[in-house]
Amino acid sequence: MFSLIVEMLSYPFLQRALIVGILVSLCSALLGTSLVLKRYSMIGDGLSHMGFASLAIAYAMGLAPITLSIPICIIAAFLLLRMNENSKIKGDAATALMCSGALAVGVMTISLTTGMNTDVCNYMFGSILAMSSTDVAISVVLSIVVIIMFVAFYPRIFAVTFDENFAKATGVNSNLYNMIIAMLTAVTVVLGMRMMGTLLISSLIVFPSLSAMRIFKRFSRVVIASVVIAVVCFCFGVIISYIYSTPTGASIVIINIVVFMIFALIERLRTKARI
Amino acid sequence: MSVLACQDLAFSYDGKDVLEGVNFTLEHGEYLCIVGENGSGKTTLMKGLLHLNKPTKGKIITGDGLKPSEIGYLPQQTQIQRDFPASVYEVVLSGCLNSMGKRLFYGRKHKQRVISNLEALGILSLKNKCYRELSGGQQQRVLLARALCATKKMLLLDEPTTGLDPVAAEEFYQMIQRLNREQGITVIMVSHDVKGVADHASHVLHLDGRQKFFGTMQEYKEQDWSFMYVKGDKNV
């Protein structure tokens, strides 16, 4: 096992992938707890599809993918939140529109320019080779921002997540916190999607916190547990994908599913034991 | 000086007027029940009092040292909260947020406040329990404790007994009355159940898109159209 890890770390692309992956998992688990509890679970999906479209357009225009996708995804995140608040089209419908609409634009752009090829497959399902040193730098900065924000504003984030109206009535600017969370989610999604794949990145946001919620009953513990689950699942997923040459994103999601099922089983056994 | 005064308030929603002509003042220690049919503007007025939406006309004046952010709000429970993984202590502590100012974390003073409010409402033993595993009545007490952490002066309750069984509802009313009488907290309650608080509330505000009535409970009982006067079904 140990020699295997050493062997893996000898590849520079795997080093980068591990750093970015661990940091992205950490951020998405932190943000995910709040998003899932506020019923914004689908926001990751909406954003990743927007990211897909923007990547396709960026490639077609010959731009660096991240410079275009990050601003587009941030704008999309704002729009999604706005639509959730006050609009005739409700949140889930808006997300569904955005998902399929963006996917269509992306596919269209690709087929008109480069044509459908392995690149498209990589966007969709992710590739561990995709991480550059710029990605490493951005993910380090992002995770520092996310962690600082979560620690420093923890009481306020809890209040806004638990009861937005109450928080607003007691003078907390909950819109601001929603915006910050959506913005950081957008950056996290863009960073993670090329490794995890457009179709799989949102699992990093939902699975760890949902698993943690099966067992833990305090918000603080749920947050910490979901971070630990996310990072551990990521590492195991990468190792498995290395040994068996399976797609990285899918391997990580499978591990997450297994953990979720184990935790759900423990929860069920516990409630039975109580009765 | 009165603790709360509304002057010619009006609200609109999507360009339509939903409530207008609201004029009333509330003195310290009074207990106001806001009644009206569905869609009469009760919720709109309440959100206005909490500064969650802006009036299109008129003014809300808080006095007697009451800051707008210091109203203890007891909202209706949302689906989100029913399965929220949080301990009772965490929930109640979040009520102290408005006294934190620019500080980032809760201090010892806040934590003591939580304990004393839990004690006052008789739920100190639930402190480490998970919020989503409590009964409806217990959850309501927890949210009341949180509201008390946010205020020493005024509570605003939004249909607080919806979903409670009659016994739990009556206990809840008793508790509110004690807070009103013993601690002198001004109470504003939006309610369908005006009969349930007939012996507790001092004033009634009746809305039906405008202010139909404002006065003491005694005066309200004498109105032949009031929810109190007609026997039986008119009390929705």
Side-chain angles (χ1 to χ4, degrees):
Chain A
M1 184 75 181
F2 185 71
S3 60
L4 180 84
I5 294 173
V6 172
E7 186 192 323
M8 284 173 68
L9 286 177
S10 65
Y11 296 101
F13 77 89
L14 264 181
Q15 290 170 6
R16 290 197 297 268
L18 276 174
I19 296 174
V20 176
I22 287 175
L23 295 177
V24 164
S25 320
L26 187 152
C27 294
S28 49
L30 278 178
L31 298 165
T33 319
S34 186
L35 291 174
V36 167
L37 285 169
K38 295 183 67 152
R39 302 289 190 271
Y40 286 148
S41 301
M42 292 301 288
I43 209 172
D45 257 326
L47 293 178
S48 63
H49 286 73
M50 270 322 256
F52 173 76
S54 59
L55 278 189
I57 294 169
Y59 272 102
M61 289 163 59
L63 292 168
I66 277 196
T67 48
L68 188 69
S69 345
I70 288 182
I72 288 190
C73 276
I74 289 177
I75 294 169
F78 284 137
L79 284 179
L80 277 177
L81 278 190
R82 277 266 155 264
M83 288 197 216
N84 269 310
E85 272 163 21
N86 45 11
S87 144
K88 298 247 156 70
I89 303 174
K90 285 297 164 210
D92 58 337
T95 319
L97 281 183
M98 188 177 272
C99 277
S100 45
L103 197 57
V105 170
V107 170
M108 206 59 158
T109 316
I110 290 169
S111 71
L112 287 177
T113 53
T114 53
M116 298 295 228
N117 52 26
T118 45
D119 272 356
V120 182
C121 194
N122 280 346
Y123 294 159
M124 292 291 206
F125 302 109
S127 161
I128 193 131
L129 301 170
M131 295 297 113
S132 67
S133 45
T134 323
D135 295 324
V136 176
I138 297 181
S139 61
V140 169
V141 173
L142 168 77
S143 50
I144 291 172
V145 172
V146 171
I147 291 171
I148 287 179
M149 193 197 77
F150 237 86
V151 173
F153 298 115
Y154 176 77
R156 290 169 174 87
I157 288 177
F158 173 84
V160 171
T161 309
F162 182 73
D163 191 339
E164 209 171 312
N165 276 337
F166 183 86
K168 260 190 215 164
T170 51
V172 177
N173 188 347
S174 47
N175 283 342
L176 179 73
Y177 288 94
N178 282 336
M179 290 288 179
I180 293 176
I181 287 177
M183 207 176 79
L184 293 173
T185 310
V187 181
T188 310
V189 164
V190 171
L191 274 178
M193 61 175 279
R194 280 161 311 135
M195 181 158 49
M196 292 294 294
T198 303
L199 301 178
L200 297 174
I201 177 71
S202 65
S203 65
L204 281 188
I205 291 176
V206 270
F207 268 113
S209 47
L210 279 175
S211 300
M213 277 174 221
R214 295 306 106 215
I215 292 195
F216 296 96
K217 301 189 187 311
R218 284 192 198 186
F219 189 70
S220 51
R221 291 183 188 170
V222 168
V223 170
I224 293 167
S226 65
V227 169
V228 173
I229 292 171
V231 172
V232 169
C233 286
F234 173 80
C235 293
F236 270 98
V238 171
I239 291 173
I240 282 179
S241 98
Y242 182 77
I243 299 176
Y244 300 104
S245 322
T246 48
T248 323
S251 315
I252 295 165
V253 178
I254 299 278
I255 301 279
N256 266 305
I257 294 174
V258 172
V259 169
F260 177 78
M261 293 204 305
I262 293 172
F263 277 34
L265 191 70
I266 295 175
E267 182 191 34
R268 185 165 277 198
L269 291 177
R270 263 196 193 168
T271 32
K272 271 211 181 127
R274 214 177 292 138
I275 301 162
Chain B
M1 190 181 176
S2 53
V3 66
L4 181 77
C6 293
Q7 294 177 351
D8 197 26
L9 272 186
F11 292 91
S12 62
Y13 184 73
D14 272 347
K16 256 185 273 170
D17 292 337
V18 287
L19 184 64
E20 57 183 7
V22 179
N23 274 297
F24 69 90
T25 55
L26 211 56
E27 302 298 327
H28 176 78
E30 288 181 337
Y31 187 151
L32 173 71
C33 185
I34 303 179
V35 297
E37 319 253 338
N38 286 335
S40 59
K42 300 191 297 270
T43 309
T44 309
L45 175 61
M46 188 197 67
K47 288 196 167 156
L49 294 178
L50 290 167
H51 299 263
L52 296 180
N53 56 17
K54 278 204 185 97
T56 40
K57 219 176 88 187
K59 259 194 280 188
I60 301 169
I61 301 161
T62 51
D64 223 0
L66 179 78
K67 286 188 210 141
S69 67
E70 281 179 354
I71 299 176
Y73 174 38
L74 182 77
Q76 292 192 48
Q77 290 215 50
T78 61
Q79 200 55 46
I80 291 183
Q81 289 158 8
R82 290 214 175 87
D83 54 356
F84 199 96
S87 69
V88 167
Y89 182 73
E90 285 179 309
V91 172
V92 178
L93 192 59
S94 72
C96 295
L97 210 56
N98 59 354
S99 54
M100 288 224 295
K102 292 237 185 296
R103 290 178 48 188
L104 289 178
F105 301 103
Y106 299 110
R108 188 181 300 160
K109 199 179 66 190
H110 298 124
K111 290 171 183 167
Q112 283 167 353
R113 192 142 187 220
V114 170
I115 301 296
S116 70
N117 280 329
L118 286 174
E119 214 163 11
L121 300 183
I123 48 172
L124 190 57
S125 58
L126 303 178
K127 182 176 158 239
N128 293 319
K129 285 260 163 55
C130 179
Y131 177 78
R132 65 182 165 188
E133 287 167 358
L134 303 179
S135 72
Q138 287 171 329
Q139 288 183 340
Q140 202 65 322
R141 285 192 193 201
V142 172
L143 293 186
L144 182 61
R146 177 183 66 163
L148 285 175
C149 281
T151 188
K152 290 192 176 101
K153 300 194 179 85
M154 183 185 281
L155 279 176
L156 210 167
L157 317 167
D158 186 7
E159 311 213 358
T161 55
T162 312
L164 297 188
D165 61 64
V167 178
E170 186 50 38
E171 273 177 22
F172 188 83
Y173 286 140
Q174 298 289 347
M175 197 178 289
I176 298 296
Q177 191 182 20
R178 269 210 312 279
L179 291 169
N180 177 244
R181 299 253 162 99
E182 288 166 17
Q183 300 192 26
I185 293 176
T186 312
V187 176
I188 301 178
M189 182 187 290
V190 173
S191 182
H192 278 308
D193 182 24
V194 65
K195 285 182 181 154
V197 292
D199 299 331
H200 307 171
S202 61
H203 289 72
V204 177
L205 174 66
H206 189 126
L207 303 174
D208 62 349
R210 63 193 172 86
Q211 178 171 323
K212 189 169 180 183
F213 174 87
F214 174 76
T216 63
M217 180 56 94
Q218 196 51 47
E219 289 163 358
Y220 186 66
K221 284 177 180 169
E222 288 156 9
Q223 308 293 323
D224 57 1
W225 48 265
S226 83
F227 287 166
M228 297 293 301
Y229 187 85
V230 182
K231 269 189 193 168
D233 292 331
K234 203 168 176 191
N235 184 357
V236 185

